[in-house]
Amino acid sequence: MKRLVLQRVLAGVLTLWLVSVLIFVGTELLPGDVASAILGQSATPETVAALRVSLGLDHPALQRYGLWLLQFLHGDLGTSLTNGRPVARTCCRGFTTRCFLRAMRRLLRCRCRCSSA
């Protein structure tokens, strides 16, 4: 049983890593520059260069992926480009509420099954 659980956990970790690599490579293959896309066509070359430096786009792709992976393993998911908030906070917002609602739904489902039997 322990071996099966370990195999499933390792398969899940490998799948997550493979998905992260595929997404990173996919975004690297997209045409254009991320900094130019964020700032728009009216941006000056100086502002585009400054944004590239602040986003870390001036480093090689493999170095950027390694840094992202290291930060991810430490729990830092980065900062959202759309609202400037930490991604972890955005993803976890409402997590306790969802857990509470799921627990209540299971409790009610269990009570309904017990009362109908």
Side-chain angles (χ1 to χ4, degrees), residues 75 77 85-99:
L77 302 181
R85 295 181 184 156
V87 173
R89 184 179 300 161
T90 304
C91 290
C92 294
R93 188 182 65 212
F95 180 72
T96 55
T97 306
R98 285 193 299 270
C99 288

Side-chain angles (χ1 to χ4, degrees), residues 33-107:
D33 183 34
V34 175
S36 299
I38 291 172
L39 294 174
Q41 294 179 348
S42 62
T44 64
E46 294 82 22
T47 57
V48 172
L51 184 61
R52 286 184 57 80
V53 169
S54 71
L55 294 176
L57 296 174
D58 54 336
H59 300 296
L62 191 58
Q63 184 180 357
R64 288 195 320 264
Y65 178 75
L67 180 63
W68 174 84
L69 187 61
L70 185 65
Q71 290 173 338
F72 176 78
L73 293 175
H74 284 109
D76 180 11
L77 302 181
T79 305
S80 172
L81 294 176
T82 57
N83 58 17
R85 295 181 184 156
V87 173
R89 184 179 300 161
T90 304
C91 290
C92 294
R93 188 182 65 212
F95 180 72
T96 55
T97 306
R98 285 193 299 270
C99 288
F100 174 75
L101 291 174
R102 284 183 181 164
M104 292 303 292
R105 183 181 69 196
R106 287 183 186 205
L107 180 67

